[in-house]
Amino acid sequence: MNMAFTPGSAGQPTSEVEISLACRNLSCKDVLSKSDPMCVTFTRPFGENRWVELHRTEVITNSHDPDFVKKIHMQYRFEEQQHLKFEVYDSDSSSTLLADHDFLGYASCTLGQIITGGKVPNRLELKLLPKTRGHGDERLGTLIACAEELSTSKDEVLLKFSGHHLDKKDWFGKSDPFLEIYKTSETGADILIYRTEVIKITLNPVWKECCLLVRTLCNGDYDRSLRMVCYDWNRSGNHSLIGEFYTNLRDMLDQNTPNSYVLIHPDKQLKKRELYKGSGTITVDKCLLRPVYTFLDYVRGGTQIFCTIAIDFTGSNGNPLLPESLHYICPGNLNSYEQAILSVVSIIEDYDSDKQFPVLGFGARLPPDGRVSHEFFVNMHPTNPYCHGVQGVLEAYRACIRQIQLYGPTNFAPVINHTAKFASAYTDGSSYFILLILTDGVITDMPQTCQAIVKASSLPLSIIIVGIGNADFTAMEQLDGDTVALTSGGMRAERDIVQFVPFSKYTSNSSLSARHLLAREVLAEIPAQFVSYMKSRNVVPKPPKTNETTLPPDPETVYS
């Protein structure tokens, strides 16, 4: 594996690698057809004895020898044993629960073994094992994991292909063509990196435009060989080869190079020789290189970051006058809510130009009449929810505890919809909003919350949920759509905007260490979510400018 070269520098402590997965000779769980396999990857956090889901591949229908397109990207740390477990399932439905699918086998190793082990460098073959021991040496198939260090290139390429006069492969129709793109790895092996959709019953398909990172396509090497293979799709999974051709990114970008390629079927070429003129042509209709911008590019260009804090004041937190309560205020000793506020808001404060944070509360009875509210201002001001800086937020929280009565239930939808109103007023990329929800309880309005999140996924908004205490937060994992997109009423979230972290993971550490670890985890996804929104709206960052002090728009004014 070629390491990144930086003249005059020491070796980097980490590097990003891309892992490609494939399986061979999988066992069959279906009676009348082959399996529909997918592979789920788990990682074991450093120093912990638990597995956390990291990645899911797509489902390959009717195949015992799948090559998965979706890659795993992760940091390789030489000094750590980074444990990985791969579980292969036969997908039986659209359910996101692994228990609803047939288990085909698992394999485990470390990332270091993939990079250095195996007969071929950077490629490791693992025998799949049954879920429980004691089944002898039953062969369940093989998992192949290939790793390659990624270049630092951040550009992406837009590609669009069409086919013309392809060979007819079906007796009673035309063909159902699709295209696969393979890159040649450093070991000489071909690795599948993209598969188009299937276009039914045509010899002249036009496939949808795709967007690939240059480092995924060719790892920054514009001359790296790319093999394009065209197949006729068959329901059985035994797809018929139409033909293939070779090219590279440099040729596709070169306006002076012909953009049409003849498909060659090796067997037909060998059999017909001089008479064989090819099996049709593939045209590169678009090959456009464009830069990928970072979170800091937008912030330096003037995009404003606004953070709203929502605090759970439901009765399940316990009587705040008693030390066992999660809301117990003890001078000189921060409770978990205070630690979470200090951890996250102090970092966001650096990117917020005006340092003004709206702070909302939910699940409490308010003075003077004891009405229950799921959306009130924690500073108890009738019209202005803003608190200045992290210290202002903490002071408002501590004063609020003495004025309200903890009640319930635990409803998230009102505060999400409240923040979404602000975000919907700025969809031009000039502002981005973060909602930090601190909660101790099991959510009671899950359908409404899912609906609110799916609706908000098209807005410049990220939601951080920090679970305080030791309640059952299983339902929260459903909201965190890292591996499976959230759905509501048949609608699918446009992008992942939720990050959930249980604060109890850090309670064994010192207060200072807990705050640092919490901040690192809950804020890790914000830059990617931020950039995904800007990219979805084709927003390009503006040149660096001086900071401006502005407040978010008043939603009552905007929607009046």
Side-chain angles (χ1 to χ4, degrees), residues 17 26 36 96 127 147 210-211 250 285 300 414-415 422 455 515 523 528 558:
V17 297
L26 294 178
D36 303 324
T96 60
K127 178 181 175 182
C210 65
C211 180
R250 190 179 303 280
D285 299 312
R300 289 167 181 157
V415 294
F422 284 83
K455 185 177 179 180
R515 295 206 306 272
L523 296 173
V558 172

mmCIF file of all heavy atoms in Angstrom, residues 17 26 36 96 127 147 210-211 250 285 300 414-415 422 455 515 523 528 558:
data_model
loop_
_atom_site.group_PDB
_atom_site.id
_atom_site.type_symbol
_atom_site.label_atom_id
_atom_site.label_comp_id
_atom_site.label_asym_id
_atom_site.label_seq_id
_atom_site.Cartn_x
_atom_site.Cartn_y
_atom_site.Cartn_z
ATOM 1 N N VAL A 17 -8.632 4.648 4.603
ATOM 2 C CA VAL A 17 -8.632 3.509 3.696
ATOM 3 C C VAL A 17 -10.050 3.227 3.228
ATOM 4 O O VAL A 17 -11.030 3.555 3.900
ATOM 5 C CB VAL A 17 -8.044 2.244 4.351
ATOM 6 C CG1 VAL A 17 -6.584 2.447 4.715
ATOM 7 C CG2 VAL A 17 -8.848 1.828 5.582
ATOM 8 N N LEU A 26 -21.742 -18.547 -1.277
ATOM 9 C CA LEU A 26 -22.629 -18.426 -0.134
ATOM 10 C C LEU A 26 -23.627 -19.580 -0.110
ATOM 11 O O LEU A 26 -24.018 -20.105 -1.157
ATOM 12 C CB LEU A 26 -23.385 -17.094 -0.184
ATOM 13 C CG LEU A 26 -22.553 -15.817 -0.032
ATOM 14 C CD1 LEU A 26 -23.447 -14.595 -0.149
ATOM 15 C CD2 LEU A 26 -21.814 -15.806 1.300
ATOM 16 N N ASP A 36 -30.368 -13.358 -1.560
ATOM 17 C CA ASP A 36 -30.243 -11.928 -1.856
ATOM 18 C C ASP A 36 -29.335 -11.327 -0.783
ATOM 19 O O ASP A 36 -29.811 -10.719 0.183
ATOM 20 C CB ASP A 36 -31.614 -11.243 -1.840
ATOM 21 C CG ASP A 36 -32.596 -11.875 -2.814
ATOM 22 O OD1 ASP A 36 -32.157 -12.288 -3.902
ATOM 23 O OD2 ASP A 36 -33.793 -11.975 -2.483
ATOM 24 N N THR A 96 -35.432 -2.978 8.416
ATOM 25 C CA THR A 96 -34.083 -2.563 8.820
ATOM 26 C C THR A 96 -33.531 -3.419 9.958
ATOM 27 O O THR A 96 -32.364 -3.292 10.313
ATOM 28 C CB THR A 96 -34.091 -1.095 9.265
ATOM 29 O OG1 THR A 96 -34.980 -0.954 10.379
ATOM 30 C CG2 THR A 96 -34.558 -0.186 8.132
ATOM 31 N N LYS A 127 -13.121 -17.212 5.977
ATOM 32 C CA LYS A 127 -14.152 -18.241 5.943
ATOM 33 C C LYS A 127 -15.327 -17.817 6.808
ATOM 34 O O LYS A 127 -15.156 -17.451 7.975
ATOM 35 C CB LYS A 127 -13.580 -19.562 6.465
ATOM 36 C CG LYS A 127 -14.591 -20.697 6.525
ATOM 37 C CD LYS A 127 -13.949 -21.963 7.085
ATOM 38 C CE LYS A 127 -14.992 -23.072 7.270
ATOM 39 N NZ LYS A 127 -14.396 -24.291 7.863
ATOM 40 N N ALA A 147 -8.401 -3.747 0.816
ATOM 41 C CA ALA A 147 -8.208 -2.393 1.352
ATOM 42 C C ALA A 147 -7.235 -1.623 0.487
ATOM 43 O O ALA A 147 -6.265 -2.173 -0.046
ATOM 44 C CB ALA A 147 -7.697 -2.460 2.789
ATOM 45 N N CYS A 210 -24.288 9.957 -12.670
ATOM 46 C CA CYS A 210 -23.756 9.543 -11.372
ATOM 47 C C CYS A 210 -22.633 10.492 -10.969
ATOM 48 O O CYS A 210 -22.022 11.157 -11.806
ATOM 49 C CB CYS A 210 -23.263 8.100 -11.402
ATOM 50 S SG CYS A 210 -21.837 7.810 -12.492
ATOM 51 N N CYS A 211 -22.392 10.548 -9.684
ATOM 52 C CA CYS A 211 -21.347 11.407 -9.129
ATOM 53 C C CYS A 211 -20.431 10.545 -8.271
ATOM 54 O O CYS A 211 -20.881 9.934 -7.299
ATOM 55 C CB CYS A 211 -21.970 12.530 -8.303
ATOM 56 S SG CYS A 211 -20.755 13.648 -7.577
ATOM 57 N N ARG A 250 -8.431 10.321 -17.514
ATOM 58 C CA ARG A 250 -7.814 11.361 -18.334
ATOM 59 C C ARG A 250 -8.411 11.379 -19.738
ATOM 60 O O ARG A 250 -8.715 12.443 -20.296
ATOM 61 C CB ARG A 250 -6.294 11.157 -18.409
ATOM 62 C CG ARG A 250 -5.574 12.345 -19.037
ATOM 63 C CD ARG A 250 -4.065 12.104 -19.071
ATOM 64 N NE ARG A 250 -3.510 11.851 -17.759
ATOM 65 C CZ ARG A 250 -3.233 12.800 -16.870
ATOM 66 N NH1 ARG A 250 -3.512 14.060 -17.131
ATOM 67 N NH2 ARG A 250 -2.706 12.470 -15.697
ATOM 68 N N ASP A 285 -21.459 10.646 -22.296
ATOM 69 C CA ASP A 285 -22.185 11.876 -22.598
ATOM 70 C C ASP A 285 -21.741 13.039 -21.718
ATOM 71 O O ASP A 285 -21.890 14.200 -22.112
ATOM 72 C CB ASP A 285 -23.701 11.653 -22.424
ATOM 73 C CG ASP A 285 -24.222 10.583 -23.364
ATOM 74 O OD1 ASP A 285 -23.881 10.651 -24.561
ATOM 75 O OD2 ASP A 285 -24.953 9.690 -22.908
ATOM 76 N N ARG A 300 -15.812 30.065 6.433
ATOM 77 C CA ARG A 300 -14.944 31.201 6.101
ATOM 78 C C ARG A 300 -15.603 32.127 5.092
ATOM 79 O O ARG A 300 -15.289 33.314 5.029
ATOM 80 C CB ARG A 300 -13.615 30.682 5.553
ATOM 81 C CG ARG A 300 -12.735 30.031 6.610
ATOM 82 C CD ARG A 300 -11.599 29.271 5.974
ATOM 83 N NE ARG A 300 -10.752 28.614 6.957
ATOM 84 C CZ ARG A 300 -9.979 27.562 6.693
ATOM 85 N NH1 ARG A 300 -9.948 27.055 5.473
ATOM 86 N NH2 ARG A 300 -9.242 27.021 7.640
ATOM 87 N N PRO A 414 -42.432 19.014 18.934
ATOM 88 C CA PRO A 414 -42.618 20.470 19.014
ATOM 89 C C PRO A 414 -41.321 21.260 18.883
ATOM 90 O O PRO A 414 -41.273 22.261 18.160
ATOM 91 C CB PRO A 414 -43.263 20.663 20.391
ATOM 92 C CG PRO A 414 -43.993 19.378 20.648
ATOM 93 C CD PRO A 414 -43.101 18.326 20.078
ATOM 94 N N VAL A 415 -40.240 20.840 19.562
ATOM 95 C CA VAL A 415 -38.993 21.619 19.486
ATOM 96 C C VAL A 415 -38.316 21.430 18.128
ATOM 97 O O VAL A 415 -37.638 22.342 17.628
ATOM 98 C CB VAL A 415 -38.028 21.251 20.640
ATOM 99 C CG1 VAL A 415 -38.603 21.677 21.975
ATOM 100 C CG2 VAL A 415 -37.682 19.767 20.638
ATOM 101 N N PHE A 422 -37.228 28.119 11.718
ATOM 102 C CA PHE A 422 -36.099 29.014 11.517
ATOM 103 C C PHE A 422 -35.283 28.569 10.303
ATOM 104 O O PHE A 422 -34.921 29.387 9.444
ATOM 105 C CB PHE A 422 -35.202 29.021 12.754
ATOM 106 C CG PHE A 422 -35.741 29.815 13.903
ATOM 107 C CD1 PHE A 422 -36.672 29.274 14.773
ATOM 108 C CD2 PHE A 422 -35.311 31.108 14.123
ATOM 109 C CE1 PHE A 422 -37.171 30.003 15.842
ATOM 110 C CE2 PHE A 422 -35.799 31.850 15.187
ATOM 111 C CZ PHE A 422 -36.739 31.297 16.053
ATOM 112 N N LYS A 455 -39.330 15.519 7.399
ATOM 113 C CA LYS A 455 -39.661 16.801 6.779
ATOM 114 C C LYS A 455 -38.481 17.775 6.878
ATOM 115 O O LYS A 455 -38.188 18.519 5.931
ATOM 116 C CB LYS A 455 -40.890 17.403 7.450
ATOM 117 C CG LYS A 455 -41.400 18.677 6.807
ATOM 118 C CD LYS A 455 -42.664 19.168 7.496
ATOM 119 C CE LYS A 455 -43.173 20.460 6.873
ATOM 120 N NZ LYS A 455 -44.406 20.960 7.541
ATOM 121 N N ARG A 515 -16.405 15.270 29.064
ATOM 122 C CA ARG A 515 -16.848 16.387 28.236
ATOM 123 C C ARG A 515 -16.145 16.383 26.883
ATOM 124 O O ARG A 515 -16.761 16.607 25.845
ATOM 125 C CB ARG A 515 -16.598 17.718 28.956
ATOM 126 C CG ARG A 515 -17.416 17.906 30.229
ATOM 127 C CD ARG A 515 -17.629 19.383 30.515
ATOM 128 N NE ARG A 515 -16.391 20.148 30.566
ATOM 129 C CZ ARG A 515 -15.654 20.323 31.651
ATOM 130 N NH1 ARG A 515 -16.020 19.752 32.803
ATOM 131 N NH2 ARG A 515 -14.557 21.062 31.616
ATOM 132 N N LEU A 523 -20.355 15.863 17.809
ATOM 133 C CA LEU A 523 -20.130 16.856 16.759
ATOM 134 C C LEU A 523 -19.447 16.264 15.528
ATOM 135 O O LEU A 523 -19.261 16.967 14.527
ATOM 136 C CB LEU A 523 -19.299 18.011 17.304
ATOM 137 C CG LEU A 523 -19.970 18.834 18.414
ATOM 138 C CD1 LEU A 523 -18.994 19.842 18.996
ATOM 139 C CD2 LEU A 523 -21.211 19.542 17.885
ATOM 140 N N ALA A 528 -20.111 16.784 7.890
ATOM 141 C CA ALA A 528 -20.597 16.004 6.741
ATOM 142 C C ALA A 528 -22.059 16.309 6.448
ATOM 143 O O ALA A 528 -22.459 16.419 5.282
ATOM 144 C CB ALA A 528 -20.405 14.508 7.002
ATOM 145 N N VAL A 558 -41.713 35.922 9.596
ATOM 146 C CA VAL A 558 -41.527 35.312 8.290
ATOM 147 C C VAL A 558 -42.820 34.704 7.766
ATOM 148 O O VAL A 558 -43.130 34.777 6.581
ATOM 149 C CB VAL A 558 -40.428 34.225 8.365
ATOM 150 C CG1 VAL A 558 -40.360 33.446 7.066
ATOM 151 C CG2 VAL A 558 -39.080 34.862 8.673
#
